Amino acid sequence: MDRVPLSEADGHMAELVGRVENGEEIVILRDGKPAARLVAVSETATPAKRPVRFGLAKGKIWIADDFDDPLPDDLLKSFYGLAPDEDWPEPTPDGSV
């Protein structure tokens, strides 16, 4: 694997692509650190889309019976920054609090 500074790669991209097509792998450096990797693209490199298979998690996932029950008032108040014993503010005529 060859390492090439970005300043050098900028002016020699056609040469670098040719080297990659011949099987080399090239790392482009920016400020001395790896920034990109040039590799050849093969027709088989693109992953094929797999068909969706429904039911793979059947029996592995369950939802509690009370999943969508309302939250207790003290917990709900904590989401709004209220103390458990604090009263809910009265809504204004436009519906905001």
Side-chain angles (χ1 to χ4, degrees):
M1 180 174 4
D2 198 9
R3 302 177 125 206
V4 179
L6 181 59
S7 58
E8 184 182 321
D10 191 30
H12 298 90
M13 190 56 68
E15 175 192 333
L16 295 176
V17 169
R19 289 171 52 190
V20 167
E21 289 174 330
N22 288 325
E24 285 188 60
E25 190 173 297
I26 299 172
V27 174
I28 306 294
L29 304 174
R30 175 181 279 167
D31 298 326
K33 297 176 185 162
R37 184 170 27 144
L38 292 178
V39 294
V41 176
S42 67
E43 294 298 321
T44 59
T46 307
K49 285 189 175 183
R50 289 186 250 161
V52 177
R53 292 179 51 199
F54 294 102
L56 289 177
K58 187 174 184 176
K60 297 178 183 177
I61 298 173
W62 64 274
I63 297 174
D65 294 333
D66 63 350
F67 171 76
D68 57 354
D69 285 354
L71 292 174
D73 204 41
D74 60 333
L75 179 60
L76 191 58
K77 285 180 180 180
S78 69
F79 284 117
Y80 290 94
L82 301 173
D85 58 346
E86 193 174 347
D87 290 333
W88 286 100
E90 291 296 321
T92 59
D94 66 354
S96 63
V97 177

